[in-house]
Amino acid sequence: MNKVDINCDLGESYGVYRMESDEAILPLITSANIACGFHAGDPATMRQTVQQAMEHQVAIGAHPGLPDLQGFGRRRMDITPREAYDMVVYQIGALDAFVRSCGGHMHHVKPHGAMYNMAAEDDQLAEGIAEAIYKVQPELYLYGLAGSALIQAADRIGLRSVSEVFADRTYGVDGTLTPRNQPGAVIEQTGQALAQVLRMVKEGIVVSTKGTLVPIKAETICIHGDGAQALAFAQEIRSLLESEGVTLSAIGAAG
Protein backbone atom coordinates (compact mmCIF):
# COMPACT_ATOMS: atom_id res chain seq x y z
CA MET A 1 0.00 0.00 0.00
CA ASN A 2 1.14 3.57 -0.60
CA LYS A 3 -1.41 5.20 1.70
CA VAL A 4 -2.24 4.45 5.32
CA ASP A 5 -3.87 6.02 8.36
CA ILE A 6 -2.13 6.29 11.73
CA ASN A 7 -4.53 6.20 14.68
CA CYS A 8 -3.92 6.60 18.39
CA ASP A 9 -6.06 6.06 21.50
CA LEU A 10 -6.28 9.42 23.25
CA GLY A 11 -8.29 11.29 25.87
CA GLU A 12 -7.62 8.60 28.45
CA SER A 13 -6.87 10.96 31.32
CA TYR A 14 -9.34 10.79 34.18
CA GLY A 15 -9.58 13.11 37.18
CA VAL A 16 -6.09 13.60 38.60
CA TYR A 17 -4.68 10.78 36.43
CA ARG A 18 -3.12 12.48 33.41
CA MET A 19 -1.73 11.26 30.08
CA GLU A 20 0.86 13.89 29.27
CA SER A 21 1.70 13.00 25.66
CA ASP A 22 -1.72 13.43 24.01
CA GLU A 23 -1.32 16.92 22.58
CA ALA A 24 2.25 16.23 21.42
CA ILE A 25 1.17 13.08 19.58
CA LEU A 26 -1.69 14.72 17.68
CA PRO A 27 0.50 16.36 14.97
CA LEU A 28 2.01 12.94 14.21
CA ILE A 29 -1.21 10.99 13.60
CA THR A 30 -4.12 11.21 11.18
CA SER A 31 -6.99 9.91 13.33
CA ALA A 32 -7.71 9.90 17.06
CA ASN A 33 -9.84 7.47 19.07
CA ILE A 34 -11.15 9.43 22.05
CA ALA A 35 -12.17 7.64 25.26
CA CYS A 36 -15.81 8.16 26.22
CA GLY A 37 -15.78 7.78 30.00
CA PHE A 38 -16.32 4.05 30.52
CA HIS A 39 -12.75 2.66 30.53
CA ALA A 40 -11.10 6.09 30.78
CA GLY A 41 -11.72 9.74 30.09
CA ASP A 42 -14.03 12.29 31.67
CA PRO A 43 -16.15 15.16 30.30
CA ALA A 44 -13.44 17.82 30.49
CA THR A 45 -10.87 15.52 28.91
CA MET A 46 -13.28 14.58 26.12
CA ARG A 47 -13.91 18.24 25.28
CA GLN A 48 -10.25 19.21 25.42
CA THR A 49 -9.15 16.27 23.27
CA VAL A 50 -11.83 16.97 20.67
CA GLN A 51 -10.74 20.62 20.50
CA GLN A 52 -7.08 19.67 20.15
CA ALA A 53 -7.82 17.09 17.45
CA MET A 54 -9.76 19.68 15.47
CA GLU A 55 -6.91 22.18 15.79
CA HIS A 56 -4.56 19.63 14.25
CA GLN A 57 -7.10 18.52 11.60
CA VAL A 58 -7.06 14.96 12.90
CA ALA A 59 -10.08 12.74 12.19
CA ILE A 60 -12.10 12.17 15.35
CA GLY A 61 -13.44 8.80 16.46
CA ALA A 62 -15.27 7.48 19.51
CA HIS A 63 -13.38 4.89 21.55
CA PRO A 64 -16.08 3.03 23.53
CA GLY A 65 -15.01 0.46 26.09
CA LEU A 66 -16.27 -1.71 28.90
CA PRO A 67 -17.33 0.02 32.16
CA ASP A 68 -14.13 -0.83 34.02
CA LEU A 69 -12.05 2.18 35.09
CA GLN A 70 -9.88 0.17 37.49
CA GLY A 71 -8.98 -2.33 34.81
CA PHE A 72 -8.65 0.29 32.04
CA GLY A 73 -11.20 -1.69 30.03
CA ARG A 74 -8.73 -4.49 29.42
CA ARG A 75 -10.47 -7.11 31.58
CA ARG A 76 -13.08 -9.26 29.87
CA MET A 77 -16.70 -9.05 31.01
CA ASP A 78 -19.56 -11.40 30.25
CA ILE A 79 -21.86 -9.07 28.29
CA THR A 80 -24.64 -9.79 25.81
CA PRO A 81 -24.79 -8.35 22.28
CA ARG A 82 -27.65 -6.11 23.44
CA GLU A 83 -25.55 -4.78 26.31
CA ALA A 84 -22.69 -4.13 23.89
CA TYR A 85 -25.13 -2.29 21.62
CA ASP A 86 -26.37 -0.09 24.46
CA MET A 87 -22.86 0.67 25.74
CA VAL A 88 -21.68 1.70 22.28
CA VAL A 89 -24.74 3.85 21.52
CA TYR A 90 -24.34 5.61 24.88
CA GLN A 91 -20.65 6.35 24.40
CA ILE A 92 -20.92 7.45 20.76
CA GLY A 93 -23.65 9.85 21.81
CA ALA A 94 -21.55 11.31 24.60
CA LEU A 95 -18.55 12.03 22.40
CA ASP A 96 -20.63 13.18 19.45
CA ALA A 97 -22.21 15.87 21.63
CA PHE A 98 -18.77 17.32 22.33
CA VAL A 99 -17.76 17.04 18.67
CA ARG A 100 -20.90 18.83 17.48
CA SER A 101 -20.66 21.50 20.16
CA CYS A 102 -17.13 22.24 18.95
CA GLY A 103 -18.32 22.54 15.34
CA GLY A 104 -16.85 19.27 14.12
CA HIS A 105 -18.07 15.91 12.89
CA MET A 106 -17.25 12.37 13.91
CA HIS A 107 -15.35 10.14 11.50
CA HIS A 108 -15.21 6.66 13.03
CA VAL A 109 -15.71 4.35 15.99
CA LYS A 110 -13.10 2.00 17.36
CA PRO A 111 -13.94 -0.27 20.32
CA HIS A 112 -11.37 -0.37 23.10
CA GLY A 113 -9.43 -3.11 24.84
CA ALA A 114 -11.36 -6.18 25.94
CA MET A 115 -14.49 -5.08 24.10
CA TYR A 116 -12.46 -4.90 20.88
CA ASN A 117 -10.81 -8.27 21.41
CA MET A 118 -14.04 -10.02 22.42
CA ALA A 119 -15.88 -8.68 19.39
CA ALA A 120 -13.00 -9.63 17.10
CA GLU A 121 -13.78 -13.29 17.76
CA ASP A 122 -17.51 -13.25 18.62
CA ASP A 123 -19.88 -12.75 15.67
CA GLN A 124 -22.86 -11.75 17.82
CA LEU A 125 -20.97 -9.19 19.88
CA ALA A 126 -19.47 -7.81 16.69
CA GLU A 127 -22.94 -7.47 15.18
CA GLY A 128 -24.22 -5.68 18.28
CA ILE A 129 -21.41 -3.13 18.02
CA ALA A 130 -21.73 -2.69 14.25
CA GLU A 131 -25.50 -2.27 14.53
CA ALA A 132 -25.08 0.37 17.24
CA ILE A 133 -22.79 2.43 15.03
CA TYR A 134 -25.00 2.01 11.98
CA LYS A 135 -28.15 3.03 13.85
CA VAL A 136 -26.53 6.16 15.30
CA GLN A 137 -24.61 7.36 12.23
CA PRO A 138 -24.48 4.98 9.23
CA GLU A 139 -21.81 7.08 7.53
CA LEU A 140 -19.24 6.38 10.26
CA TYR A 141 -16.33 3.99 9.75
CA LEU A 142 -15.80 1.03 12.07
CA TYR A 143 -12.13 0.39 12.90
CA GLY A 144 -11.60 -3.30 13.64
CA LEU A 145 -8.87 -5.92 13.76
CA ALA A 146 -7.94 -6.92 10.22
CA GLY A 147 -9.71 -10.14 9.19
CA SER A 148 -11.80 -10.29 12.37
CA ALA A 149 -15.49 -10.74 13.14
CA LEU A 150 -15.77 -6.96 13.57
CA ILE A 151 -14.84 -6.35 9.94
CA GLN A 152 -17.15 -9.12 8.77
CA ALA A 153 -20.07 -7.76 10.82
CA ALA A 154 -19.59 -4.28 9.40
CA ASP A 155 -19.57 -5.66 5.87
CA ARG A 156 -22.78 -7.64 6.48
CA ILE A 157 -24.66 -4.69 7.93
CA GLY A 158 -23.52 -2.19 5.30
CA LEU A 159 -21.21 -0.22 7.56
CA ARG A 160 -17.90 0.99 6.18
CA SER A 161 -15.01 -0.86 7.80
CA VAL A 162 -11.32 -0.08 8.21
CA SER A 163 -8.87 -2.93 8.78
CA GLU A 164 -6.51 -2.16 11.65
CA VAL A 165 -3.05 -3.48 12.45
CA PHE A 166 -0.92 -2.91 15.54
CA ALA A 167 2.62 -1.60 15.61
CA ASP A 168 3.53 -2.87 19.07
CA ARG A 169 1.62 -6.16 19.36
CA THR A 170 2.50 -9.67 18.23
CA TYR A 171 0.21 -11.91 16.21
CA GLY A 172 -0.81 -15.55 16.35
CA VAL A 173 -0.89 -17.86 13.34
CA ASP A 174 -4.59 -17.09 12.82
CA GLY A 175 -4.01 -13.34 12.61
CA THR A 176 -5.32 -12.58 16.11
CA LEU A 177 -3.39 -10.53 18.65
CA THR A 178 -1.42 -12.39 21.28
CA PRO A 179 -3.36 -11.89 24.57
CA ARG A 180 -1.72 -9.30 26.82
CA ASN A 181 -1.44 -11.83 29.68
CA GLN A 182 0.90 -13.98 27.60
CA PRO A 183 4.67 -13.43 27.34
CA GLY A 184 5.74 -11.53 24.24
CA ALA A 185 2.32 -9.98 23.60
CA VAL A 186 3.77 -6.46 23.47
CA ILE A 187 6.78 -5.63 21.30
CA GLU A 188 9.26 -3.75 23.45
CA GLN A 189 11.99 -3.22 20.85
CA THR A 190 11.37 -0.18 18.63
CA GLY A 191 13.32 -1.66 15.72
CA GLN A 192 11.20 -4.81 15.73
CA ALA A 193 7.98 -2.79 15.82
CA LEU A 194 9.10 -0.56 12.95
CA ALA A 195 10.06 -3.55 10.83
CA GLN A 196 6.67 -5.14 11.51
CA VAL A 197 4.83 -1.96 10.53
CA LEU A 198 6.74 -1.60 7.27
CA ARG A 199 6.13 -5.19 6.25
CA MET A 200 2.41 -5.03 7.06
CA VAL A 201 1.95 -1.82 5.08
CA LYS A 202 4.15 -2.54 2.07
CA GLU A 203 3.87 -6.32 1.76
CA GLY A 204 0.54 -7.11 3.43
CA ILE A 205 2.00 -9.75 5.74
CA VAL A 206 2.95 -10.13 9.40
CA VAL A 207 5.25 -12.70 10.98
CA SER A 208 3.41 -14.68 13.67
CA THR A 209 4.89 -15.72 17.00
CA LYS A 210 5.43 -19.16 15.40
CA GLY A 211 7.44 -17.64 12.56
CA THR A 212 4.79 -18.16 9.88
CA LEU A 213 3.80 -15.47 7.39
CA VAL A 214 0.19 -14.34 7.86
CA PRO A 215 -1.61 -12.25 5.20
CA ILE A 216 -2.95 -9.02 6.69
CA LYS A 217 -4.77 -5.93 5.40
CA ALA A 218 -3.26 -2.76 6.83
CA GLU A 219 -5.50 0.27 6.28
CA THR A 220 -4.83 1.92 9.64
CA ILE A 221 -1.99 1.46 12.12
CA CYS A 222 -2.66 1.75 15.84
CA ILE A 223 -0.08 3.23 18.16
CA HIS A 224 -0.85 3.38 21.88
CA GLY A 225 -0.76 6.73 23.64
CA ASP A 226 -0.34 5.27 27.14
CA GLY A 227 3.17 3.87 26.72
CA ALA A 228 6.25 5.43 28.30
CA GLN A 229 7.84 6.01 24.88
CA ALA A 230 4.61 6.76 23.00
CA LEU A 231 5.70 10.11 21.59
CA ALA A 232 9.11 8.94 20.37
CA PHE A 233 7.52 5.81 18.91
CA ALA A 234 4.94 7.86 16.99
CA GLN A 235 7.67 10.11 15.62
CA GLU A 236 9.73 7.15 14.42
CA ILE A 237 6.80 5.39 12.75
CA ARG A 238 5.75 8.55 10.91
CA SER A 239 9.31 9.27 9.81
CA LEU A 240 9.81 5.70 8.57
CA LEU A 241 6.62 5.60 6.52
CA GLU A 242 7.21 9.00 4.97
CA SER A 243 10.76 8.00 4.04
CA GLU A 244 9.34 4.93 2.30
CA GLY A 245 6.99 7.07 0.21
CA VAL A 246 3.82 6.10 2.09
CA THR A 247 1.13 8.81 2.19
CA LEU A 248 -0.32 9.33 5.66
CA SER A 249 -3.99 10.24 5.58
CA ALA A 250 -7.23 9.51 7.41
CA ILE A 251 -9.50 7.03 5.64
CA GLY A 252 -11.77 8.83 3.19
CA ALA A 253 -9.66 12.00 3.16
CA ALA A 254 -8.43 13.46 -0.09
CA GLY A 255 -4.84 12.95 -1.08
Side-chain angles (χ1 to χ4, degrees), residues 37-40 63-79 83-84 87 91 111-116 118 125 129:
F38 271 38
H39 76 278
H63 197 35
L66 296 174
D68 180 19
L69 285 171
Q70 288 87 350
F72 197 62
R74 288 178 174 163
R75 300 184 293 193
R76 293 193 172 217
M77 297 175 64
D78 185 12
I79 61 171
E83 288 171 325
M87 289 177 190
Q91 292 176 81
H112 166 81
M115 176 183 279
Y116 181 100
M118 289 158 57
L125 276 182
I129 291 169

Side-chain angles (χ1 to χ4, degrees), residues 174-205:
D174 58 355
T176 60
L177 297 176
T178 306
R180 281 184 176 269
N181 60 3
Q182 293 186 13
V186 178
I187 298 174
E188 304 288 352
Q189 300 298 319
T190 301
Q192 181 185 349
L194 293 175
Q196 174 167 289
V197 165
L198 196 59
R199 198 160 193 185
M200 289 190 293
V201 171
K202 304 211 67 166
E203 300 179 40
I205 57 174

Side-chain angles (χ1 to χ4, degrees), residues 4-10 25-26 28-34 58-63 107-111 116 142-145 162-168 218-225 230 233-234 237-238 241 248-251:
V4 74
D5 172 57
I6 299 179
N7 78 78
C8 187
D9 305 339
L10 298 176
I25 283 177
L26 276 163
L28 304 173
I29 63 175
T30 50
S31 64
N33 322 306
I34 300 177
V58 170
I60 296 171
H63 197 35
H107 173 263
H108 67 276
V109 176
K110 174 189 163 181
Y116 181 100
L142 168 58
Y143 283 25
L145 182 67
V162 179
S163 295
E164 181 178 43
V165 297
F166 288 78
D168 61 350
E219 294 180 311
T220 184
I221 303 164
C222 175
I223 57 176
H224 288 106
F233 191 37
I237 286 180
R238 185 178 182 100
L241 292 172
L248 304 179
S249 176
I251 302 299

